[in-house]
Amino acid sequence: MEGRIAIIHKFFPFDPEGVLGGAETVSVEIASGFAKLGWDVYFFGYLPKGNRVLEGVKFINYGEDYRLYEIFGEYRDLEFDACLCVHAYPVKTLLGFENIKRFFLIPQDMSFIEHRVKPYFINKYMDGVVCLSDYQKNAYMQWGISEKKLAKIPYGIDTDRYRPLSVRNFKRLMFAGATIKAKGIDLLLEAFKGLKKSLPDLELHIYGDATLWGSAEGVKVNEYLPGVFFHGKVSKEEVIRAYSESALCVIPTVPELYQESLPRSSLEAQACGCPVVGTKSGGLPETFLNGKTGFLVEPLSVDNLARVIENAIKKEDNLKAMSEEAVKFIKENFSFEKQIKKLEEYILSLPPRKERISSINYKDLNILYYTEVPLMPSKTSSCRRDYEIINILLEKGTNITYTHGFFTKDVEIEIKGLASSYRNFNMLIPIYQHLSAIGDHDLLWITEAWDLERLRKALVLAKRAKLVYHVPVVLDIMDSIYKQLSRGKDAGASFTQEEIETARTIERELYHLADMVIFVSEEEREFAIKEFGINREKTFVISNVHHPADAPTRAEGKSICFIGGILNYNNLLAIRYFLNTIYPYILKYDEEVEFYAIGDRTDELRLDQLVEDKSLLDLYKKRVHLVGWVKDIGKEIRKHKLSVAPLVSGSGVKGKILNSLEWGVPVVTTPIGAEGFSDIENSGIVVAKEPEEFANMVVSIVNDESLREELAKKGLKYVRDRFSKIAAEKTLEEMLFSIRNSIKTNFSQVKPCHYGIWGKYELIVPDNYKKVDDFDSVVWSVMSVFKDNFDIISFNFLDVYNIEPRVRPLLEDPPESYRWLPALFKRDLQKSFFRENELRYLHVDTILCYREYKPKGIRGKIIEWGLRNKMLFKKYPLLERLAKRVYGWIS
């Protein structure tokens, strides 16, 4: 076969001509194997010694700063039949390249899960995942990867290189691997102490580099344990010689700390005629035949391990027979030539995808639609606009997950209606669960950030999406918060200059962080471009969506209405302004005109607090009606001759005006209220600058039915032409091109995740993630719910498959709790974990934050003691069951 393949090694420095570890060996051998099959092979990795060509493989250095996107861009004119990656972040980095036909993951262990990738991403964008063992395949399926994406193809062993070379020493044991507790080195040393008593001539030879995993001084300094020899990291030739000389290769991996996918040392040893002793850890039992080419032992049992080794050593003839069987077993089942051919056939069996991201439509997208407040379409016009946009996206086939930042689980009837009407609509309501849900989506859509604190939280969420998950962000800001606060302060609202400047700073950062920004009017867009320097190409306008009536209403009487709930301070200022400056003129001209304030909580207002001229109170009590929220706003609007919008603050297109026009009711407003509307003369909107002018226009329209009807007809046509569903759909189609480019851009920015530690192990974050001022407030929100139940909380929203068992709670809670708080331990234990680097599997998608909460009394002492002695429970199942029952009582 003549083809071209790219192999992307993990972000780890190595020399392909030097001494290689297991993972590096596998990657290099796969590359050379494809080269021997006739492929043009490009191997990208962190190669400190630079580029070179070895055995037909072009080794290309992407550098210490991980310039993979830039380096690979130099080869964009070449067509690659496949790209094989051992970790997920290279896949995300290269996914936007059109010259790669197929993408495959070939993870050599389970750790690729930690690199900011979710099952959704693999199922959607990967052509396949090569599993090394049944254990690995089942684990990935349990994690959420589709079975049709998985293929079991173990790597092979070159039996011409790995073969028996010398006479075997049946008094010699060996260990090959990282000298860490997860690999069971401490258990092996403990077992060896006992073996020396009955087998004084026995030797233990340890091969492996411990520099990645912490200090190996306890192994190197072995005067207290004669017969143990630490060789460190040596060449493959020396390891092959060691396999050939040894009676047994011991692999005592502790499954509670580490699950083997397919340990290469087991295959190498057997190929050299060395039977193995292995535990029930992941795919390790699949690498040998128990009783024929090796011995399966129970993990964590020093006595059992020593007994099996002793019995094997004493039966020399049996070991010789097992040695021959082991060589035969590897040749038949793990031949390198056979396995590399299987891999080639699998890759070519899948059809190439000629178009990837460039062919994305809305039906291909998973959108996390986040609102800072629960959508209340029946109460606010902005929520009604969001609701209409969601409906359009759902009709286009988009998969939407709706979530909000409030603690309440209540959902509006309309939102429940979406959930029952559309299969592609999902509600994710539990508080802050959306933080971990970002990674399962193609796009984060943020809206309803209409005050300073909500704007701040939106920034935190956008940063997390961009810097941690590399998910594009759509900011549906509608109108400028900074402008709203500035005008609110001028109109008498209690905003400080510091708050206004803070809003300006946050809003600017949000605009530049977002991939697309949606405004509600051209005027708002122009303001933001000029004030904040936004790139016009990433801005869009989607105004309110309305469904106008067929004809104007014919209301009786002389009533006018105002629409807007007082939770929006602009509405409260408008009501106060109207009652104190405009309505007195109206009553002066026509005492029969009545005023109705309709909106959420307007019925809680008191006239004596609103009206400055107390002499008007008696008349106002007869003419002013504070209605409050109504279920059918359209029915209420149609009762009135006219709608007024006496706004003195605010920005953007005013939903209250459009709500009136769509029901055939004309509107009188101020210049601020008219902002965002063009061609006012043909809109059904009358603009009055001064209070007396405003009053004159109201009275004229109320008393002139022909004028009122003419304005109403203009309003209906205006809404039909400019604020229809069709206009919103057109803009969404225009956005699709930007969405595709944003996905490409965000993928290209993906880099390996390095982690730094702030303070005394209190906060762990990716090193490219900026500390944010309000992070503590988000943490506190979660802590306030759970602080009484846990010691130290990992604010990371992991699930059970992201972390190793040792850092799970001692006595496991129901699975759903793992989505919240999977890692709980005391600070002194944290230090121990860091020292041994056993927290590596906590290095996952988002921020880890720890705060100390000490349980009081006997309960706290029992939990602390249990955490310290977790391995004791794992060793004795009956004791573990008893401990779980005790934990249930104290909890």
Side-chain angles (χ1 to χ4, degrees):
M1 164 67 192
E2 292 184 3
R4 185 174 291 112
I5 193 169
I7 297 176
I8 317 296
H9 189 61
K10 63 182 178 180
F11 186 67
F12 181 79
F14 80 102
D15 178 5
E17 293 182 288
V19 178
L20 304 178
E24 292 76 38
T25 299
V26 171
S27 297
V28 172
E29 286 187 353
I30 288 175
S32 62
F34 272 98
K36 290 176 182 177
L37 291 174
W39 288 69
D40 189 11
V41 182
Y42 292 75
F43 188 107
F44 296 84
Y46 175 19
L47 312 172
K49 292 189 177 181
N51 299 352
R52 72 199 73 178
V53 179
L54 298 172
E55 299 181 0
V57 178
K58 302 174 183 66
F59 287 90
I60 301 166
N61 178 32
Y62 56 56
E64 185 178 7
D65 52 351
Y66 190 75
R67 295 181 297 116
L68 177 59
Y69 187 83
E70 175 186 341
I71 296 298
F72 195 87
E74 298 174 8
Y75 302 89
R76 65 171 62 248
D77 293 334
L78 300 177
E79 189 173 74
F80 289 86
D81 293 278
C83 178
L84 310 183
C85 301
V86 299
H87 277 282
Y89 53 78
V91 181
K92 282 192 169 184
T93 304
L94 301 179
L95 199 55
F97 282 89
E98 302 288 340
N99 59 325
I100 300 175
K101 292 183 179 180
R102 307 171 182 89
F103 279 95
F104 296 89
L105 277 175
I106 308 187
Q108 290 141 27
D109 52 36
M110 294 295 291
S111 63
F112 90 93
I113 290 175
E114 70 177 288
H115 290 288
R116 293 170 294 182
V117 66
K118 299 278 186 163
Y120 167 75
F121 176 85
I122 294 173
N123 291 333
K124 182 164 186 176
Y125 294 108
M126 297 297 95
D127 292 282
V129 179
V130 178
C131 303
L132 304 177
S133 62
D134 287 326
Y135 162 76
Q136 192 180 41
K137 183 176 180 180
N138 292 332
Y140 291 161
M141 288 171 58
Q142 187 180 10
W143 188 50
I145 299 178
S146 171
E147 184 176 7
K148 65 182 180 182
K149 294 286 184 180
L150 302 172
K152 178 190 171 184
I153 306 176
Y155 45 68
I157 298 296
D158 183 354
T159 53
D160 290 334
R161 185 182 187 188
Y162 290 87
R163 57 189 174 83
L165 295 178
S166 60
V167 177
R168 204 164 300 282
N169 181 353
F170 290 94
K171 299 296 183 182
R172 174 187 169 111
L173 306 176
M174 71 171 290
F175 171 92
T179 54
I180 56 172
K181 289 183 178 181
K183 291 286 188 177
I185 186 66
D186 53 338
L187 301 174
L188 177 56
L189 293 173
E190 192 66 27
F192 187 76
K193 288 181 184 180
L195 287 168
K196 288 292 286 184
K197 296 176 183 177
S198 57
L199 300 170
D201 297 332
L202 195 64
E203 295 179 356
L204 173 60
H205 293 259
I206 299 173
Y207 299 84
D209 185 5
T211 56
L212 290 177
W213 311 104
S215 173
E217 296 303 319
V219 179
K220 293 178 182 177
V221 182
N222 52 60
E223 291 83 2
Y224 70 97
L225 195 56
V228 176
F229 302 91
F230 180 80
H231 299 273
K233 193 172 184 178
V234 298
S235 67
K236 284 300 177 187
E237 285 66 29
E238 289 184 66
V239 175
I240 292 171
R241 191 178 302 112
Y243 287 137
S244 300
E245 294 174 352
S246 300
L248 291 169
C249 178
V250 187
I251 311 174
T253 307
V254 180
E256 282 78 9
L257 300 180
Y258 185 73
Q259 293 286 359
E260 301 275 9
S261 289
L262 195 77
R264 186 178 175 85
S265 58
S266 175
L267 303 180
E268 292 177 346
Q270 293 174 84
C272 296
C274 180
V276 298
V277 177
T279 58
K280 296 178 181 178
S281 171
L284 177 53
E286 300 176 43
T287 63
F288 62 90
L289 300 176
N290 186 27
K292 293 183 178 182
T293 68
F295 302 93
L296 190 62
V297 296
E298 291 294 329
L300 292 172
S301 176
V302 172
D303 294 340
N304 187 34
L305 181 61
R307 183 171 61 255
V308 170
I309 293 174
E310 183 177 3
N311 291 339
I313 292 295
K314 288 180 178 179
K315 298 177 181 178
E316 188 172 317
D317 290 340
N318 187 47
L319 279 181
K320 290 179 180 179
M322 293 181 73
S323 176
E324 295 176 1
E325 185 67 26
V327 174
K328 181 181 177 182
F329 172 71
I330 295 300
K331 286 183 177 180
E332 291 179 353
N333 297 278
F334 295 95
S335 162
F336 179 76
E337 291 79 9
K338 292 180 182 178
Q339 298 308 104
I340 198 70
K341 193 64 180 174
K342 283 183 182 178
L343 182 57
E344 180 192 47
E345 290 172 355
Y346 171 62
I347 288 172
L348 295 177
S349 69
L350 298 178
R353 291 197 223 167
K354 295 182 180 179
E355 296 182 355
R356 291 182 178 277
I357 298 170
S358 60
S359 65
I360 286 176
N361 284 306
Y362 277 107
K363 62 181 175 56
D364 302 314
L365 293 175
N366 267 19
I367 296 179
L368 181 63
Y369 201 99
Y370 176 85
T371 66
E372 270 298 331
V373 295
L375 283 187
M376 300 176 288
S378 60
K379 293 188 178 181
T380 73
S381 58
S382 59
C383 286
R384 170 57 61 176
R385 172 183 173 279
D386 293 331
Y387 175 77
E388 294 287 353
I389 291 174
I390 290 176
N391 261 295
I392 294 172
L393 291 171
L394 290 173
E395 289 172 3
K396 289 179 176 292
T398 309
N399 295 299
I400 292 182
T401 302
Y402 160 75
T403 184
H404 59 68
F406 269 45
F407 292 90
T408 177
K409 291 186 179 182
D410 294 335
V411 180
E412 284 283 293
I413 294 175
E414 292 95 334
I415 300 300
K416 290 181 179 178
L418 289 178
S420 61
S421 301
Y422 294 97
R423 283 187 173 185
N424 50 329
F425 183 80
N426 173 49
M427 289 186 291
L428 184 66
I429 300 302
I431 52 174
Y432 292 112
Q433 195 172 330
H434 53 263
L435 295 176
S436 62
I438 295 172
D440 291 326
H441 295 82
D442 303 299
L443 201 66
L444 173 64
W445 192 302
I446 301 176
T447 186
E448 290 294 324
W450 45 259
D451 67 17
L452 178 57
E453 289 310 308
R454 293 189 174 97
L455 192 69
R456 197 192 304 269
K457 289 179 182 178
L459 176 61
V460 173
L461 196 62
K463 283 184 174 180
R464 194 161 303 158
K466 293 280 287 183
L467 300 178
V468 178
Y469 294 102
H470 303 283
V471 170
V473 175
V474 174
L475 176 64
D476 191 357
I477 193 72
M478 290 186 277
D479 38 67
S480 170
I481 311 302
Y482 160 68
K483 184 164 77 170
Q484 282 200 38
L485 296 184
S486 299
R487 285 181 168 177
K489 183 175 186 295
D490 293 341
S494 57
F495 299 123
T496 66
Q497 192 59 36
E498 182 181 0
E499 287 176 316
I500 295 171
E501 289 304 317
T502 300
R504 188 178 190 280
T505 300
I506 295 174
E507 192 171 330
R508 174 188 289 276
E509 189 170 355
L510 252 175
Y511 286 147
H512 289 278
L513 186 67
D515 297 273
M516 286 148 282
V517 185
I518 301 175
F519 297 97
V520 77
S521 69
E522 287 290 347
E523 189 168 347
E524 286 301 309
R525 172 158 70 176
E526 293 304 322
F527 171 82
I529 290 173
K530 182 178 180 180
E531 183 71 25
F532 300 101
I534 312 172
N535 181 357
R536 180 182 294 275
E537 292 182 359
K538 73 175 189 179
T539 64
F540 299 88
V541 174
I542 300 180
S543 196
N544 297 39
V545 176
H546 290 271
H547 308 276
D550 295 329
T553 60
R554 298 188 62 85
E556 302 296 331
K558 293 185 178 183
S559 63
I560 62 175
C561 67
F562 170 84
I563 305 164
I566 63 170
L567 288 178
N568 185 329
Y569 63 87
N570 295 309
N571 292 332
L572 180 60
L573 292 174
I575 293 172
R576 181 178 286 125
Y577 173 72
F578 178 80
L579 292 177
N580 288 297
T581 62
I582 298 174
Y583 198 46
Y585 284 114
I586 293 175
L587 294 178
K588 178 181 177 182
Y589 302 141
D590 190 338
E591 275 197 7
E592 295 181 10
V593 176
E594 298 186 37
F595 174 69
Y596 287 75
I598 308 164
D600 195 25
R601 300 178 68 174
T602 55
D603 53 332
E604 298 177 15
L605 296 174
R606 291 175 52 186
L607 286 175
D608 59 344
Q609 294 177 342
L610 293 172
V611 180
E612 296 171 359
D613 186 351
K614 305 305 179 185
S615 65
L616 296 172
L617 278 177
D618 289 339
L619 181 58
Y620 274 27
K621 287 177 182 179
K622 298 177 183 178
R623 295 286 184 263
V624 176
H625 310 275
L626 304 175
V627 179
W629 176 79
V630 295
K631 186 175 182 180
D632 188 342
I633 186 66
K635 181 179 179 181
E636 188 67 29
I637 292 173
R638 291 194 297 270
K639 295 177 181 178
H640 306 286
K641 291 275 190 180
L642 183 67
S643 176
V644 294
L647 295 166
V648 291
S649 61
S651 58
V653 172
K654 314 307 183 295
K656 57 178 57 46
I657 293 177
L658 290 170
N659 280 340
S660 300
L661 294 180
E662 76 171 324
W663 292 111
V665 177
V667 180
V668 178
T669 187
T670 60
I672 288 179
E675 279 185 354
F677 296 101
S678 59
D679 193 17
I680 293 293
E681 290 183 1
N682 297 305
S683 66
I685 303 170
V686 176
V687 182
K689 296 182 179 180
E690 301 299 329
E692 190 170 0
E693 180 189 4
F694 196 112
N696 269 318
M697 295 308 304
V698 168
V699 173
S700 297
I701 296 170
V702 166
N703 288 291
D704 188 338
E705 183 59 30
S706 61
L707 174 61
R708 194 191 77 85
E709 187 171 349
E710 179 186 351
L711 290 170
K713 287 180 179 179
K714 285 183 178 181
L716 287 171
K717 185 176 186 304
Y718 188 74
V719 173
R720 193 175 294 114
D721 292 344
R722 298 168 183 264
F723 297 93
S724 65
K725 180 180 176 182
I726 294 175
E729 288 176 335
K730 182 179 178 182
T731 303
L732 287 172
E733 284 302 318
E734 293 172 358
M735 283 181 60
L736 194 56
F737 178 77
S738 294
I739 289 172
R740 292 168 183 158
N741 286 339
S742 295
I743 290 175
K744 286 183 181 181
T745 301
N746 282 271
F747 280 153
S748 71
Q749 294 173 348
V750 175
K751 294 184 178 182
C753 199
H754 298 294
Y755 288 80
I757 301 171
W758 290 352
K760 297 179 180 179
Y761 305 107
E762 290 183 351
L763 188 64
I764 310 170
V765 296
D767 58 6
N768 61 345
Y769 197 100
K770 297 178 182 179
K771 193 172 183 179
V772 292
D773 295 334
D774 69 331
F775 186 73
D776 280 350
S777 67
V778 180
V779 175
W780 181 86
S781 299
V782 177
M783 294 298 175
S784 63
V785 178
F786 293 100
K787 64 187 172 100
D788 295 331
N789 300 325
F790 299 99
D791 289 356
I792 296 178
I793 297 175
S794 166
F795 185 71
N796 196 48
F797 303 95
L798 307 177
D799 58 52
V800 69
Y801 304 110
N802 286 103
I803 56 174
E804 289 203 25
R806 181 167 180 177
V807 291
R808 296 177 193 163
L810 161 68
L811 304 165
E812 298 176 356
D813 295 311
E816 59 268 19
S817 67
Y818 284 121
R819 295 190 63 83
W820 283 88
L821 311 163
L824 302 93
F825 36 83
K826 300 295 289 182
R827 185 165 299 176
D828 55 349
L829 289 181
Q830 290 182 51
K831 293 177 182 178
S832 173
F833 287 147
F834 277 115
R835 184 170 59 251
E836 299 169 9
N837 207 32
E838 292 182 15
L839 266 181
R840 63 188 183 280
Y841 275 84
L842 280 179
H843 294 178
V844 290
D845 297 331
T846 184
I847 293 176
L848 298 177
C849 183
Y850 302 96
R851 291 291 186 271
E852 190 167 358
Y853 290 97
K854 296 180 179 179
K856 298 177 181 179
I858 187 66
R859 174 176 173 270
K861 291 180 180 179
I862 291 175
I863 291 174
E864 184 174 353
W865 179 82
L867 287 168
R868 290 179 178 276
N869 295 279
K870 178 173 181 177
M871 300 311 295
L872 176 66
F873 291 104
K874 292 295 182 186
K875 189 174 180 181
Y876 300 104
L878 289 177
L879 185 59
E880 183 181 18
R881 288 211 298 267
L882 175 62
K884 286 187 177 183
R885 180 162 295 185
V886 171
Y887 183 76
W889 293 336
I890 66 174
S891 297

